[in-house]
Amino acid sequence: SGVFWGWAGTNSASATGGCEGGDVVLSCAGTAVDGLDDLHWLLTAERIGQPTPLTFVRGARRRQVTVIPAEGR
């Protein structure tokens, strides 16, 4: 399970961290995500500006990157 990442804006925290549209996010900050609600729950205001590990699958390859969440615009 995981969250299908449909789009990563050019200057978004996810794109800057290395995510691309089509990736499947498996975990955020070491906690498994089974759906978009889980991911939203983990990306709280306390994480804004804080390096946060994100694990995802692209194609058949598992990857881990660090993203720095920013406040939504």
Side-chain angles (χ1 to χ4, degrees), residues 31-55:
T31 302
V33 293
D34 291 324
L36 190 55
D37 287 341
D38 290 344
L39 188 57
H40 283 170
W41 184 78
L42 291 165
L43 293 173
T44 60
E46 292 82 26
R47 291 218 190 273
I48 293 173
Q50 302 298 315
T52 303
L54 197 67
T55 303

Side-chain angles (χ1 to χ4, degrees), residues 26-27 55-64:
L26 303 175
S27 68
T55 303
F56 62 91
V57 173
R58 180 179 300 149
R61 189 169 173 209
R62 185 183 185 119
R63 299 172 183 232
Q64 182 169 343

